[in-house]
Amino acid sequence: MLGKKMEEAINLQINREIYSAYLYMSMSIGAASLGCKGSAKWLMVQFHEEMVHAMKFIEYVADQNGTVDFGAIAGPSGQYPSLCALFEKVLSHEQAVTASINALMEIAVGERDHATQALLSWYVTEQVEEEKNAGEIVRTLTMIGDNKTALFMYDKDLGLRTVTVPTDFSLGVTAAMKGA
Ligand code: OFO
């Protein structure tokens, strides 16, 4: 059974996760317009991951017999003069998501909601990975600077990221992840 406070907080996080997906899709278009096709692919993979993050929360609320509240998703804004500026935004966005996941965990602990704490542990671990990935990319792009040849090669590397997330959510997230 999900308490009202926890349910409302998770619903806000569902909105944030879908906003994240929306943001990364827009960044993918931004990276492509900079001529960085590999980064555009990396960001589209990130879009898929964010949809999984949202679906895991949605499924959890439904499993707990709660109400999923679908709020409006804000439109992402932002111009990215360089690939480095774009990935700096990815990093700061992920740091903000980490803070919101931590805030959810504090509510779950305060409410003695052990089931939600168990769910949130997955997100806490995931955020370590999210910040690590974005931070490494920012550091590499900073090192590359204006070296166009190095940027070309690194962008190719980023394009090697593959989709390891399900695209068929009709199975439910857990079953779909097994088939991914
Ligand atoms: Fe990128 O972790 Fe969800 O939002």
Side-chain angles (χ1 to χ4, degrees), residues 58-148:
I58 289 168
E59 198 167 275
Y60 176 73
V61 172
D63 286 350
Q64 289 276 46
N65 211 21
T67 303
V68 180
D69 175 21
F70 291 100
I73 311 295
S77 59
Q79 299 285 319
Y80 307 107
S82 69
L83 196 62
C84 193
L86 187 153
F87 274 100
E88 278 168 355
K89 169 72 185 172
V90 172
L91 178 58
S92 65
H93 178 72
E94 288 303 331
Q95 287 165 339
V97 172
T98 299
S100 66
I101 294 291
N102 288 343
L104 279 179
M105 184 63 103
E106 276 161 32
I107 295 171
V109 170
E111 301 268 299
R112 298 185 182 173
D113 179 344
H114 298 285
T116 303
Q117 287 176 50
L119 174 80
L120 289 172
S121 293
W122 183 89
Y123 287 90
V124 169
T125 305
E126 177 70 7
Q127 282 312 118
V128 173
E129 187 69 20
E130 294 277 63
E131 287 194 33
K132 173 177 165 272
N133 290 343
E136 280 175 1
I137 294 171
V138 168
R139 279 194 294 283
T140 304
L141 288 172
T142 302
M143 190 170 63
I144 286 171
D146 292 332
N147 184 330
K148 287 196 168 33

Side-chain angles (χ1 to χ4, degrees), residues 13 16-17 20 24 46 50 53 93-94 97 127 130:
Q13 189 64 29
R16 288 190 198 106
E17 298 293 349
S20 296
Y24 290 131
Q46 192 69 17
E50 298 302 345
H53 297 174
H93 178 72
E94 288 303 331
V97 172
Q127 282 312 118
E130 294 277 63

Side-chain angles (χ1 to χ4, degrees), residues 1 3 19 21 33 38-40 48 56 96 101 116 123 133 138 169 173:
M1 162 103 192
Y19 172 77
S33 73
S39 301
H48 285 291
K56 276 176 83 78
I101 294 291
T116 303
Y123 287 90
N133 290 343
V138 168
F169 291 124
V173 178

